[in-house]
Amino acid sequence: VKAELYIKDKVIQELIYITFFSAVLCFLVLWIFSRNIKFVVIVIGSVLISVSISFMISQVLFGGIELVMIIMPAILFIVCISDFMHLVNNAGITKKTSVDYFKYQINNIGKPVALTSITTAIGFLSFCFSNVLPITRLGFITTIGILVSLFVILVTYAICVDLKLHQIKGSEGINVSVDRLIKVLINFQHSSKSIFLILFMLFFCMFGIYKFEINNHIHDEFNKSSSLFKEMKFFDKNFGGYKQVSFNFLNDDNLEIENLIKFEKEIEKLGFTIDRSLFGSFKDLKDLGSLDKKELNIKSRMPDLGSKESLELFEKVKLISKKLNIDIQLSGNGYLFDKLSDKITLEILFGLLMAIITICLLFLILSNFNFKYLLIVLIPNTFPILVCIGLMSFTNFYFSLSNAFIFAIIFGLIVDDSIHIITSHRFHMKNGLDSKKAIDKSLKITGRAVIKTTLIIIVTLVPLLFSEFNSIGQLGMLTIISAIIAVVFDLIYLPKMIRNLVR
């Protein structure tokens, strides 16, 4: 109950904190990139409209917001502003009228923007495979929010074009620095050092697969520096734990009190703390005749060892009961948590797999079933996640209910940049360029927007690192790491893949 009250008190506080600081940081970064205060105000305003509509829908459908929904403003900030950065990335194109310019940008960049919104939405729709209602609601509301934001972005961009605010020159120094970075990455593609870098990342990728583990603790959600986490650990250490486990058995003629006494001793040896109540212990009774012919139980508590170790203990308990000829059933919130949490974690990861397969099928259809594009889409968008998992595995990282859904979010966010590069390459090839010249031109034009949107992702997610809730902090950290790996892969290895696979 205290945990529920703690979460309730912190949710609104963190929602305001994350939204405010994400907006301020986005405002500053956009101003640095554009040096146009009117443009920045319009963009931030469009994001806040999208966020407000999304929360209003949640209020109408679900009567409020869930804990995990506090990350939604940061997600919509990233999606909206990333799309804006691509739309205003015009590469010096000039048209006679605003209408002609708007049509050109929508045809050239607007379609990839819509496609990336759909792929991001698919990532969140994967949460529908979860039986955890808050996560399912997060996926549903965020999907709606992304589609709403796409409409708001296009309307707002049309307003920017009409008001002549779409020509964003920005800081010349920053643009020169970004262009130099792109040039360095392009040159690095042809360097032997790129082989060592990919081998280094492959090592982390394989290590992450090798160390793959699903485990769950009740306290996983709470930041280790929070007061509640410290209280839970104190109770765990000094009072036998807070996970409730009940051992239930039927009081019939086959039940012997000596076996129950032995059973009590055995489970205490395993680390269970028995809560004495009513008659105390079975060893205090002469026989079972004084008790009603009904189901009896031993109520106990255990430390929060993690679902992996706890389930092993439960199997040992079942073996002990079998040897003592006691037909036993386990219950209690601690037992149910351990039994169900791993199952639900797997469901969430299965949803991520379905999202990846769906996006791959979508690109197969768009490429007229050119299976070479399957590798071009699959590898750049899954490899950074696997490398990130490998890096985190050195810190005893494991998949749990509190972080499994994070990777679906990461996939939805990092897939955008590779899609923009791929679609830009296809656009230039349709305009008569060969594959090599098309990808080179795509890197010079789209590469600038890719780097800027990656910086926006990093800056926007910084406030999440200071969250009281572990899943929110992990979302920020894991997404930042994955985004950096993704941009390196997209600008170094994705072009090499396209050159070798697409002619």
Side-chain angles (χ1 to χ4, degrees), residues 214-441:
I214 292 177
N215 200 3
N216 280 279
H217 294 79
I218 292 177
H219 61 242
D220 273 337
E221 186 54 59
F222 304 108
N223 194 304
K224 292 182 179 180
S225 63
S226 66
S227 59
L228 182 61
F229 179 85
K230 293 175 181 177
E231 289 179 20
M232 294 170 81
K233 293 299 289 183
F234 179 80
F235 197 88
D236 230 8
K237 182 179 179 180
N238 297 287
F239 294 96
Y242 50 80
K243 286 175 63 175
Q244 298 174 351
V245 181
S246 293
F247 305 97
N248 310 303
F249 37 85
L250 188 64
N251 183 12
D252 56 20
D253 295 333
N254 295 323
L255 193 63
E256 297 179 5
I257 193 168
E258 291 82 7
N259 288 342
L260 289 176
I261 294 169
K262 290 178 182 178
F263 181 77
E264 279 187 336
K265 290 179 180 179
E266 290 296 325
I267 63 174
E268 284 182 315
K269 288 179 183 178
L270 291 176
F272 292 92
T273 300
I274 298 175
D275 291 326
R276 310 295 182 186
S277 61
L278 297 178
F279 53 81
S281 169
F282 285 107
K283 65 183 179 182
D284 299 325
L285 297 176
K286 294 181 180 180
D287 56 60
L288 296 174
S290 58
L291 299 177
D292 294 334
K293 297 287 184 179
K294 61 181 181 180
E295 188 179 85
L296 302 176
N297 60 63
I298 300 173
K299 294 186 180 296
S300 71
R301 287 172 288 110
M302 65 180 295
D304 193 2
L305 304 171
S307 59
K308 184 178 179 180
E309 190 173 342
S310 296
L311 290 172
E312 291 174 359
L313 278 180
F314 296 143
E315 289 303 315
K316 290 180 181 179
V317 169
K318 291 177 182 179
L319 287 175
I320 291 169
S321 65
K322 190 174 182 179
K323 288 179 181 179
L324 295 173
N325 196 29
I326 299 174
D327 187 12
I328 195 170
Q329 288 186 335
L330 278 68
S331 63
N333 57 22
Y335 171 71
L336 290 174
F337 174 83
D338 290 325
K339 185 178 179 181
L340 297 176
S341 57
D342 287 7
K343 178 178 178 291
I344 297 171
T345 304
L346 278 171
E347 288 175 353
I348 296 171
L349 293 176
F350 176 76
L352 170 60
L353 179 62
M354 290 297 100
I356 293 171
I357 292 173
T358 302
I359 290 173
C360 288
L361 290 174
L362 178 63
F363 259 84
L364 275 177
I365 294 170
L366 293 175
S367 63
N368 295 321
F369 291 93
N370 185 341
F371 282 88
K372 292 179 180 179
Y373 275 97
L374 187 62
L375 293 175
I376 293 173
V377 172
L378 182 62
I379 295 175
N381 297 310
T382 55
F383 189 77
I385 294 176
L386 293 175
V387 175
C388 179
I389 293 170
L391 287 168
M392 295 301 297
S393 295
F394 284 96
T395 63
N396 297 318
F397 174 84
Y398 55 85
F399 285 91
S400 67
L401 271 176
S402 87
N403 65 35
F405 73 93
I406 291 173
F407 291 96
I409 296 174
I410 293 174
F411 178 76
L413 292 178
I414 67 173
V415 74
D416 290 8
D417 290 339
S418 60
I419 287 176
H420 278 290
I421 292 174
I422 293 167
T423 52
S424 176
H425 170 262
R426 285 171 58 82
F427 177 80
H428 293 305
M429 283 191 68
K430 287 180 180 178
N431 286 345
L433 296 180
D434 60 37
S435 182
K436 185 180 181 302
K437 290 181 180 179
I439 191 60
D440 288 341
K441 189 171 183 179

Side-chain angles (χ1 to χ4, degrees), residues 150-187:
L150 175 62
F151 174 77
V152 173
I153 287 167
L154 294 176
V155 172
T156 308
Y157 180 66
I159 294 171
C160 288
V161 173
D162 197 48
L163 297 177
K164 309 297 182 185
L165 298 175
H166 59 288
Q167 300 288 353
I168 306 300
K169 295 181 180 180
S171 169
E172 187 63 30
I174 291 175
N175 289 333
V176 169
S177 298
V178 171
D179 290 340
R180 284 177 181 171
L181 178 59
I182 293 172
K183 189 174 181 180
V184 169
L185 293 173
I186 291 174
N187 292 334

Side-chain angles (χ1 to χ4, degrees), residues 42-51 53 80 84 87 145-159:
I42 289 175
V43 173
I44 296 296
S46 69
V47 180
L48 294 176
I49 289 171
S50 301
V51 172
I53 292 173
C80 292
F84 258 112
L87 284 169
I146 291 169
L147 297 178
V148 168
S149 67
L150 175 62
F151 174 77
V152 173
I153 287 167
L154 294 176
V155 172
T156 308
Y157 180 66
I159 294 171

